[in-house]
Amino acid sequence: MDLKNRFEGLVPTAHESEKVKPGRYNLQIVGDSDMQNDKGWAGCKIQFQLLPRKIPVGHLITIAHENPKYVQWGFEELEKLSKAAGFDSIVDDTSQLHGKVVSCSVKLNDGDYPELDSKFGNSFKPAIEEEKPVAKKEEKPSVSTEESDEIPF
């Protein structure tokens, strides 16, 4: 069986040494989907890729619930995500977030899989700038060709 194109886009299983450690990471928003149940709850699942390894991480935000407190939390979380992605306020459509990069705290769940620790959106921040190594100029000691009687202390 020719498998060349069968597994395109899938991420290989991480070896023990490659597993994600808890901390703050840049995440690219790559998709979203609507979710709902028959009891009036609705949510938006945002799909992220943990950079630079492109490990998939999903995050669910409540947008409809019988308890307005949960809807308020969801609104605030989407607003903070939108602002971290560079928008002035909450986006009109979550597809506007696709391709944007933000940073957020990541923790491991009980199965050792990464998940966002958004703290109700308070952990969403603009992407962390990669520190680029700066080449330091080596200063050569100045060598004088003139002879002097002075002691160089």
Side-chain angles (χ1 to χ4, degrees), residues 4 10 12 15 19 26 28 50-51 53 57 62-63 68 88 98 107-108 113 124 131 145 147:
K4 280 185 270 186
L10 294 179
H15 296 283
K19 286 192 177 176
N26 281 345
Q28 183 172 27
L50 196 143
L51 300 176
R53 296 186 349 218
V57 181
T62 296
I63 57 172
D88 292 330
H98 296 186
K107 62 183 180 179
L108 300 180
Y113 290 101
F124 289 123
E131 287 188 23
T145 57
E147 290 188 28

Side-chain angles (χ1 to χ4, degrees), residues 29 46 48 59 61 75-87 91 94 97 100 102-103 116 121 124-125:
I29 302 165
I46 309 283
F48 296 87
H59 186 67
I61 298 174
F75 173 83
E76 290 172 7
E77 192 165 17
L78 272 172
E79 181 180 41
K80 291 170 185 172
L81 175 60
S82 297
K83 288 182 177 181
F87 294 91
V91 293
T94 51
L97 296 168
K100 301 293 183 183
V102 299
S103 74
L116 299 189
F124 289 123
K125 304 288 180 211

